Amino acid sequence: MTEAKAVERAILNRRAVRAFLPDPVDPVLLRRLLELAAQAPSGTNMQPWKLRVLGPQSRARLETALIVALDSPDLPAEEEYRYYPQTFREPYLSRRRKVGWDLYTLLGVTRGDTEGMKRQTAANLRFFDAPVALMLTIDRDLEIGSWLDLGMFLQNLLIAAQGHGLDSCPQAIFARFHPVVRRELAIPEDEVVVCGIAIGHADRTAPANQLVPEREPVERFTTWLD
């Protein structure tokens, strides 16, 4: 396989995996993935990303607190930052609805099944049982350019993991639970909780992992100028 084909395969095969096998990930390999991710470009080489690798104790403490918070009426309604628009419009509304209901259909969760949705949220908060759990943050005083850099770091990590035979899932849900994450992981107020990242080996038999989101053809998002 050529280098170009290997890169293409990693990009095309990467999916948001929502069920993992318990097989461990070699810590040496994980460190290598982080080294590769850190090769992402950043404006004036600021390298604004901050990452925490959760060990068994910190992870157990965090997951326990998150599951308790899931049933708590005291959880703040606002996320750490606004990921989605306040009002969805087309074509984004239809895309969002389709991928959401495609996933829930695979999981056997029907409209109005609040318990089923809650179970999936709880699985999300447990990093989908992946052997590797990471938490990504960024300094609060940085601007949108640094957030773009952060996204390139994250994509590098996901593609590098895929290239090394691992699967992954970036998890924005932790921004919603940022007070709990901040407390349990001792994250200072001057850092924004951006997302969690689950890494491991996908459980290929899990219904959730059969989801393949549709992608728009090039013609729909590209304008070719003379």
Side-chain angles (χ1 to χ4, degrees), residues 23-168:
D23 305 357
V25 173
D26 186 343
V28 175
L29 174 56
L30 178 59
R31 176 174 288 274
R32 180 56 180 161
L33 297 179
L34 300 182
E35 291 172 345
L36 292 170
Q39 299 306 305
S42 63
T44 62
N45 200 33
M46 286 175 61
Q47 305 174 66
W49 41 83
K50 294 186 175 183
L51 193 71
R52 288 166 175 81
V53 181
L54 278 59
Q57 293 184 9
S58 59
R59 179 172 176 174
R61 185 174 65 249
L62 174 62
E63 291 182 0
T64 298
L66 287 169
I67 297 304
V68 170
L70 185 57
D71 290 320
S72 173
D74 299 326
L75 188 69
E78 291 189 2
E79 296 179 338
E80 176 79 304
Y81 61 94
R82 188 172 294 283
Y83 192 109
Y84 297 108
Q86 288 183 290
T87 303
F88 275 92
R89 59 176 175 82
E90 295 299 345
Y92 312 113
L93 179 60
S94 294
R95 293 174 188 169
R96 173 181 170 86
R97 283 175 172 169
K98 179 171 179 12
V99 75
W101 286 115
D102 283 352
L103 173 61
Y104 282 123
T105 297
L106 287 169
L107 294 171
V109 177
T110 57
R111 190 180 300 274
D113 182 2
T114 56
E115 285 303 313
M117 293 181 181
K118 183 178 176 181
R119 284 195 303 272
Q120 186 62 14
T121 300
N124 201 343
L125 294 174
R126 293 194 301 270
F127 296 90
F128 299 113
D129 296 324
V132 174
L134 311 174
M135 196 64 64
L136 187 61
T137 69
I138 190 171
D139 285 339
R140 193 175 297 278
D141 61 347
L142 296 183
E143 298 293 344
I144 190 170
S146 292
W147 283 75
L148 295 174
D149 299 339
L150 182 82
M152 289 185 276
F153 169 86
L154 176 57
Q155 177 74 349
N156 264 10
L157 178 56
L158 303 181
I159 297 302
Q162 193 69 42
H164 281 271
L166 295 171
D167 300 285
S168 60

